[in-house]
Amino acid sequence: MSVKTGIFSISLDFELHWGIFDNVDIKGKELYFDTTIELIPSILDKFTSNNIECTWATVGMLFNPDVSHIKSNFPEKLPSYTNAKFSTYRFIENELDESNERYYTAVDLIDKIKSAPGQEIGTHTYAHYYALEQGQNKDEFKADIKQSVKLAQGKGIALKSIVFPRNQVNWDYLDVCAETGINIIRVNPDKWAWKSTVKPLLLRKIFRTADCYVPLFNTTVGLNKLNKTNTNHFYLPASRFLKPVSGVKILNKMRLKRVLSEMTKAAKTNSYYHLWWHPHNFGNHPEEAMKELDIIISHYKNLEKEYGMLSLNMQNTYERLKN
């Protein structure tokens, strides 16, 4: 059955400190992540009360109830990165402070997400695995994914979608995902500025950033152009990263206007629009960030009413379009 309406998808890279452990020390960031943890139920409430679906791409280590379980739930093989700083296991053994346990486990939040209508729990790999970094290999990635699947199954969750950390999609690893039942992949926009995610050229970074404020690229995708040719994999391109609120009001207005106009275009042209961010991106300016989310949701509700736009998580987008 053809779909003659636009689709609005949201995915959140749910990682807490696991997402930036290799770049940012937790010391001095406690308030930032405490705010994040407090905001997640509020974000969830806004979604459910407005029938907004979302995929929460969750780092598998957050499924552990405490640090002792994290340490006892290592996969069979660990990533052998050339640069050891990328290894969560090195961090766990040498730097993880058990008094900061709340930044590395999230069982209660996962339970809330699981029980909320329209919310999908996907995977962000088990250990925030960098699939394009030097040194690691396919067998190590497979051990990582199997561990995520195992812990999710322990909570009655069947993982179907994956978001690769740092958007490092390794196309050679997708058969590993399919073997474990994960066949829906968030990929980067099919634009030259997003071709490299490991060490992108400065010019690409500049154009990516500029496109958040002024229309340089078309980020909506016609539903008939979404990849549906491979029976094992289904690609859903990200459209826009919702950059964090900054202290520059005019830039915030431009950034939000860009998102709203893209949503409108998708609704009018029966296209796919995929917005994503990390919950911790709301940590520095929570009130302003939540107000922006209200505006985005309100705009979607208007598009739903006027054009019949649908809010679908990644799995439900796949289910609707696969035929």
Side-chain angles (χ1 to χ4, degrees), residues 106-167:
V107 174
D108 290 346
L109 291 175
I110 290 171
D111 286 340
K112 289 180 184 294
I113 296 167
K114 177 189 174 186
S115 63
Q119 309 305 298
E120 175 197 9
I121 295 179
T123 186
H124 203 35
T125 73
Y126 184 68
H128 208 255
Y129 193 105
Y130 301 131
L132 291 177
E133 292 296 342
Q134 293 184 349
Q136 55 78 39
N137 59 57
K138 192 172 187 178
D139 286 340
E140 294 165 356
F141 176 77
K142 184 174 183 178
D144 177 280
I145 292 299
K146 287 175 64 177
Q147 195 68 5
S148 264
V149 169
K150 177 182 176 181
L151 266 68
Q153 287 177 339
K155 301 283 292 180
I157 298 168
L159 299 176
K160 299 295 183 182
S161 302
I162 184 169
V163 171
F164 282 80
R166 306 275 163 89
N167 294 309

Side-chain angles (χ1 to χ4, degrees), residues 27-148:
K27 294 179 181 177
K29 299 294 288 186
E30 293 91 347
L31 178 60
Y32 178 74
F33 282 108
D34 284 337
T35 300
T36 300
I37 292 167
E38 292 175 4
L39 280 179
I40 287 174
S42 299
I43 294 172
L44 193 60
D45 286 344
K46 288 184 183 296
F47 286 165
T48 57
S49 62
N50 288 282
N51 296 316
I52 301 292
E53 296 193 0
C54 177
T55 294
W56 298 72
T58 306
V59 168
M61 283 190 173
L62 294 175
F63 281 82
N64 289 289
D66 50 47
V67 170
S68 64
H69 279 79
I70 292 174
K71 292 181 176 180
S72 65
N73 276 329
F74 282 17
E76 295 178 356
K77 296 181 179 181
L78 306 184
S80 50
Y81 300 118
T82 301
N83 188 341
K85 81 167 189 174
F86 294 131
S87 174
T88 54
Y89 304 101
R90 180 203 59 80
F91 172 79
I92 291 166
E93 296 289 1
N94 300 324
E95 300 180 41
L96 180 57
D97 183 349
E98 294 195 20
S99 67
N100 290 326
E101 187 173 82
R102 64 191 181 280
Y103 307 130
Y104 304 101
T105 63
V107 174
D108 290 346
L109 291 175
I110 290 171
D111 286 340
K112 289 180 184 294
I113 296 167
K114 177 189 174 186
S115 63
Q119 309 305 298
E120 175 197 9
I121 295 179
T123 186
H124 203 35
T125 73
Y126 184 68
H128 208 255
Y129 193 105
Y130 301 131
L132 291 177
E133 292 296 342
Q134 293 184 349
Q136 55 78 39
N137 59 57
K138 192 172 187 178
D139 286 340
E140 294 165 356
F141 176 77
K142 184 174 183 178
D144 177 280
I145 292 299
K146 287 175 64 177
Q147 195 68 5
S148 264

Side-chain angles (χ1 to χ4, degrees), residues 139-196:
D139 286 340
E140 294 165 356
F141 176 77
K142 184 174 183 178
D144 177 280
I145 292 299
K146 287 175 64 177
Q147 195 68 5
S148 264
V149 169
K150 177 182 176 181
L151 266 68
Q153 287 177 339
K155 301 283 292 180
I157 298 168
L159 299 176
K160 299 295 183 182
S161 302
I162 184 169
V163 171
F164 282 80
R166 306 275 163 89
N167 294 309
Q168 292 187 15
V169 178
N170 191 322
W171 303 97
D172 293 333
Y173 290 3
L174 297 189
D175 59 332
V176 169
C177 299
E179 288 173 13
T180 57
I182 300 168
N183 66 333
I184 309 164
I185 304 101
R186 192 184 80 196
V187 297
N188 300 312
D190 186 23
K191 310 296 178 184
W192 70 267
W194 280 271
K195 291 299 181 183
S196 174

